[in-house]
Amino acid sequence: MSAQPLLSVRNLRWAPPGETEPVLNGTTLDLKEGSLSVLIGPSGCGKSTLGYLIAGYYEAAEGEVRIDGKPVREPRPDRLMVFQESALWPWMSVLDNVVFGPLSRREAPRREIEAQAKALLEEFGLSAFANRYPHQLSGGMKRRVDLAQAVINQPRLLILDEPFRGLDVMTRELMQEYFLGLFEGRGQTTLFISSEVEEAVFLADEVLVMDQQGLIAQRLPVTLPRPRTSAMTDTHEFQKAQVDLLHALEAVQAETEGPQSQAVLT
């Protein structure tokens, strides 16, 4: 593994078009290859904005983003983003959604790409739904197709923007465990944006706490062993990690709104 970080973000500044007040004001961040980092912070602090900048959908006013030392200037398949809402094409079958990216880039003959996609769908428990359409799938199944659609492109960095938001509690917990199995089996470098303390601790190698200036205020390592299971959430180590993260979030919120404020995570 190279000593150079896979992702390097330096002094990033970004404001919405036509506005002078920045959402991000000097964000700096490194992610090493093979890590699963969870980004969390108060509502409106710029978590999703940072994800869009890393993916190449937004252009920074100042600073830079680099993947493998190369500057990010536009969206490319070496870093892919899974959005809060499913981005599946409603008129395409599950299989056609998954093969769309590689086929559009003509990376291999269609039969080879479809074979890869079918193997992924089997791994993701979706083989029986390859010819179904998005409206025929449950919320959790759509999320699995979104993940398959990203993974088939073999990105260097996978960015997930609260991908399980809006799912019911049981489905959300199942998807968290499912995603962990995917990460632990593949070692996919991941930046996972979350607003849930328990989710952040359960998934992360490291939790990145963002403040209202869009700066990384604290980096909290999570030393729970892998593979992880839901049973770990009852352990003293897990609960202590949650408390430490809550304290970090409360400190970030207090800096902005005063000592009596509490962390707001929405």
Side-chain angles (χ1 to χ4, degrees), residues 80-82 86-89 92 94 96-102 120-121 124 143-155:
L80 290 177
M81 193 165 186
V82 176
S86 179
L88 301 178
W89 303 109
M92 290 185 181
V94 166
D96 286 340
N97 266 284
V98 174
V99 302
F100 178 80
L120 269 179
L121 291 176
F124 285 32
R143 297 281 73 182
R144 279 185 277 162
V145 178
D146 286 321
L147 287 171
Q149 190 181 51
V151 168
I152 196 172
N153 291 281
Q154 300 180 334

Side-chain angles (χ1 to χ4, degrees), residues 163-239:
F164 309 141
R165 188 173 185 172
L167 299 177
D168 63 80
V169 173
M170 182 177 294
T171 303
R172 185 186 185 99
E173 290 177 352
L174 288 171
M175 285 302 302
Q176 288 168 355
E177 289 197 55
Y178 181 83
F179 173 73
L180 266 185
L182 177 67
F183 169 78
E184 291 166 354
R186 293 175 177 271
Q188 172 72 62
T189 309
T190 302
L191 178 64
F192 191 109
I193 299 167
S194 178
S195 60
E196 300 287 336
V197 169
E198 183 172 334
E199 178 176 72
V201 173
F202 184 52
L203 298 179
D205 293 321
E206 180 181 48
V207 181
L208 310 172
V209 181
M210 180 177 274
D211 66 16
Q212 290 285 11
Q213 296 298 311
L215 304 178
I216 306 302
Q218 290 197 48
R219 303 182 70 137
L220 302 177
V222 179
T223 57
L224 294 166
R226 297 190 184 277
R228 294 182 187 168
T229 65
S230 58
M232 289 182 178
T233 60
D234 295 325
T235 65
H236 171 75
E237 291 79 7
F238 188 92
Q239 292 168 11

Side-chain angles (χ1 to χ4, degrees), residues 1-8 30-37 54-55 65-72 75-81 105 107 147 149-160 179 183 186-192:
M1 186 180 296
S2 171
Q4 175 179 274
L6 174 66
L7 169 69
S8 176
D30 286 337
L31 293 185
K32 65 181 181 180
E33 187 172 359
S35 64
L36 199 172
S37 300
I54 293 170
V65 179
R66 290 179 177 268
I67 301 286
D68 283 326
K70 300 174 183 178
V72 170
R76 292 188 61 83
D78 63 344
R79 69 271 171 192
L80 290 177
M81 193 165 186
R105 296 190 299 274
E107 294 177 345
L147 287 171
Q149 190 181 51
V151 168
I152 196 172
N153 291 281
Q154 300 180 334
R156 298 282 286 133
L157 175 66
L158 184 60
I159 307 159
L160 299 105
F179 173 73
F183 169 78
R186 293 175 177 271
Q188 172 72 62
T189 309
T190 302
L191 178 64
F192 191 109

